[in-house]
Amino acid sequence: QVSVLYFARSAELAGLRCETLLVPQEITSLQLWEEIVKVHPRLAVIRDQVVFAVRQEYVLLGDQLLVLQPGDEVAIIPPISGG
């Protein structure tokens, strides 16, 4: 189980700010994104703009293997604009 935190547009699309999801312990960042989109299909529209932070470290979507521990935090961070 990991805690998924949603920020800005991702929170709007998911309809919540945080939740706990059950995912495999070893998973690529892209597979993790796909698991999250299965639960919240509306998030698919920000796929090309989103950045993950796993245990407060940025992770790009791709083939990078993540080894998740129970209780790890995964933050979904869409691009932030402003001046």
Side-chain angles (χ1 to χ4, degrees):
Q1 283 188 330
V2 295
S3 296
V4 183
L5 309 176
Y6 300 95
F7 295 94
R9 181 122 167 89
S10 68
E12 293 171 21
L13 292 169
L16 52 110
R17 295 225 171 261
C18 65
E19 68 182 331
T20 301
L21 292 180
L22 186 61
V23 296
Q25 183 176 4
E26 292 190 13
I27 190 170
T28 68
S29 56
L30 184 56
Q31 289 169 331
L32 179 58
W33 172 251
E34 290 168 351
E35 289 294 316
I36 293 168
V37 169
K38 281 182 195 174
V39 178
H40 303 288
R42 293 177 56 198
L43 289 172
V45 299
I46 61 170
R47 183 208 184 281
D48 293 333
Q49 305 157 344
V50 76
V51 176
F52 273 172
V54 178
R55 294 183 297 271
Q56 300 182 358
E57 292 186 24
Y58 287 114
V59 176
L60 297 176
L61 293 185
D63 294 334
Q64 180 177 349
L65 184 65
L66 305 173
V67 180
L68 301 171
Q69 302 300 321
D72 277 353
E73 283 187 349
V74 177
I76 310 298
I77 306 169
I80 299 176
S81 61

